Amino acid sequence: MTKRLLLYAATLGLGFGGGWAFSWLGIPLPWLLGPLLTIGALGLFGVDLATPKASRQLGQLLLGTGIGLYFTPAVAAFVVEHLGVIVSCGLASISFGAIAGLILQRTASVDIATAYFSCVPGGVAEMAVQAERYGGETGPVALAQSLRILFVVVTIPPAIIFWGATGTDPFGIPKVPFDPAGFGGLLLISLAAGWLLAWRKVTNAWLLGPLAAGAVVTVTQSDLSGMPTEILNISQVLIGSTLGLRYRRDAIVRLRKFLLPAMLSTFALIGLNVVFGMLAAQWSGLPVSTMVLSVSPGGMAEMSITAKVLALGVPLIAAFHIVRIFLVIGLSGLLFRYVLGRRPPSS
């Protein structure tokens, strides 16, 4: 037990060290990218690392609560007004995943189920389960989905900063001071909401539950407490360190022939979404940088952190990714079955 605890402490210590180093160097999203790349690089060199089981959930709980605090009544009305744009972008993202899947099938010589569920922008576990249901392989799907998140995080935010497209948040979010007692109550509400959704087996329960709790607190103008930047940084270290653990040497070596085609299809997926985001910005009248981040096929947690750090409209971007998550869960299997004409082996 002591050895395991020391391993946890060392891993998170390295994550914090990577975050601090990236911050000192002025690298974008330091507290997410620093831990992710540090832990990921060490894993690729065969270093045995681990985080406590609930690290990612704790990071999501803190992040979800912070995002929810942005959902003022005015923001909620804005999201409802743009619901058509949000749903259209979600459907487009699924379609681009299917196109990237066809590219991957041809370049990697894998079955269509493996290729398709490797590229549709959903959760790693959810897409692996779907692939297995339709006769695909779970290992390549998990690797491709992990690469998608990594490439989105390390390419799109730095590109937005390079082009000077930050600081265009369309919402004037009121500043609520930090109150220790109120913050404790806020976390208890978020914990209850996350547990409820996890009990009901809702995808991303520990992000969506606290987000809903924070939004209810904000909409009702309860103003229990604000979210300090230091706590947001901790949430990023927990999420980034856990993500970094996915890039293990043994998995990369085992799937090395699949790696390059997966990278190429991932870049195709990112490119299609970015171009669509630029076009959607012209159609919707929203800032280009906000729309590019909204349709980027990254994880909701990572894109929300990016939106917060770059001041690009956190609640709107979160709404885009929430809708996309539910569309992917509800429609990706149906699209594969009825549009591509593929059925589970047992049917």
Side-chain angles (χ1 to χ4, degrees), residues 49-284:
L49 297 171
T51 56
K53 186 176 181 180
S55 295
R56 186 165 182 264
Q57 288 84 348
L58 176 58
Q60 289 181 318
L61 183 145
L62 296 173
L63 177 63
T65 303
I67 296 171
L69 296 179
Y70 280 76
F71 277 85
T72 63
V75 168
F78 189 90
V79 169
V80 171
E81 181 183 347
H82 290 80
L83 194 57
V85 178
I86 294 173
V87 171
S88 298
C89 289
L91 294 174
S93 191
I94 296 174
S95 301
F96 296 147
I99 293 171
L102 293 174
I103 295 172
L104 181 58
Q105 183 194 18
R106 290 179 176 275
T107 55
S109 299
V110 295
D111 61 273
I112 184 60
T114 298
Y116 173 79
F117 289 106
S118 291
C119 295
V120 173
V124 176
E126 291 79 17
M127 293 300 99
V129 169
Q130 287 268 46
E132 186 175 35
R133 181 187 176 208
Y134 286 94
E137 299 179 63
T138 59
V141 172
L143 176 61
Q145 291 287 343
S146 298
L147 288 174
R148 170 179 59 82
I149 294 172
L150 174 65
F151 288 156
V152 168
V153 172
V154 300
T155 57
I156 291 181
I160 291 174
I161 292 175
F162 177 79
W163 290 106
T166 61
T168 55
D169 196 327
F171 309 110
I173 307 300
K175 298 288 185 180
V176 178
F178 175 71
D179 177 79
F183 189 72
L186 180 62
L187 288 185
L188 285 176
I189 297 171
S190 293
L191 184 64
W195 177 86
L196 179 62
L197 294 191
W199 176 61
R200 299 303 301 171
K201 301 187 184 303
V202 174
T203 301
N204 275 322
W206 291 103
L207 188 66
L208 295 178
L211 189 155
V216 169
V217 167
T218 303
V219 168
T220 58
Q221 299 181 322
S222 300
D223 296 340
L224 294 177
S225 174
M227 174 70 76
T229 301
E230 293 77 11
I231 293 180
L232 178 68
N233 291 343
I234 290 172
S235 75
Q236 294 178 69
V237 170
L238 292 170
I239 293 171
S241 297
T242 307
L243 285 174
L245 293 175
R246 293 178 177 174
Y247 307 102
R248 310 302 300 174
R249 180 183 178 87
D250 55 348
I252 298 296
V253 171
R254 187 173 66 252
L255 298 169
R256 58 187 180 277
K257 293 183 179 179
F258 178 77
L259 185 60
L260 181 58
M263 292 170 63
L264 293 174
S265 64
T266 298
F267 283 124
L269 175 64
I270 294 172
L272 287 169
N273 277 278
V274 168
V275 171
F276 182 80
M278 293 177 176
L279 296 174
Q282 302 299 318
W283 165 39
S284 65

Side-chain angles (χ1 to χ4, degrees), residues 112-113 133-136 333 336-338 340-347:
I112 184 60
R133 181 187 176 208
Y134 286 94
F336 186 75
R337 183 167 183 169
Y338 293 108
L340 296 180
R342 308 286 176 160
R343 295 181 178 273
S346 59
S347 63

